[in-house]
Amino acid sequence: QVQLVESGGGLVQAGGSLRLSCVASGRIFSINEMGWYRQAPGKQRELVARITSGGSTNYADSVKGRFTISRDNAKKTGYLQMNSLKPEDTAVYYCNAVIKIKVIGGASEYWGQGTQVTVSS
């Protein structure tokens, strides 16, 4: 099986920083794009940032200039550096990745369990 495990969430005051990590494990042949999504209570899940296997990135307008997505292919790990955090950034953050599985072939989308980020004012 394939697992995505997020870590790095927590409670931080406005203006502070957090770094989220997402480690992929299992019978992975390759990881295509990775992304971070977030969902606040009563809200739709929204895309925060994504990164392709080649390192191209996209960000939601609300986080541009504050968040940076990156990846370490050797470690099969994605990161989201979050700076200048605002209370409106409070949400559960989910890692997402498109992964090709060994033996089976093809590519499928996987989600992590999520990590809570709470920003106080």
Side-chain angles (χ1 to χ4, degrees), residues 18-112:
L18 286 172
R19 189 193 193 209
L20 306 184
S21 298
C22 174
V23 180
S25 62
R27 295 189 58 80
I28 299 169
F29 178 78
S30 64
I31 302 175
N32 294 333
E33 75 175 46
M34 301 184 73
W36 290 93
Y37 293 73
R38 67 186 182 187
Q39 187 169 26
K43 303 284 188 178
Q44 293 280 340
R45 186 174 298 187
E46 64 175 351
L47 174 68
V48 176
R50 65 174 184 167
I51 184 168
T52 69
S53 60
S56 297
T57 59
N58 294 100
Y59 297 92
D61 288 341
S62 59
V63 307
K64 285 181 179 177
R66 300 188 298 120
F67 292 9
T68 302
I69 187 170
S70 61
R71 61 191 289 168
D72 185 327
N73 291 330
K75 295 180 178 179
K76 296 182 174 62
T77 301
Y79 305 94
L80 184 68
Q81 178 67 46
M82 305 185 294
N83 298 326
S84 301
L85 283 162
K86 305 174 181 179
E88 49 263 46
D89 294 319
T90 295
V92 177
Y93 284 69
Y94 297 91
C95 178
N96 170 268
V98 176
I99 298 173
K100 183 175 291 185
I101 308 302
K102 291 180 179 177
V103 180
I104 296 175
S108 298
E109 188 176 28
Y110 295 88
W111 291 90

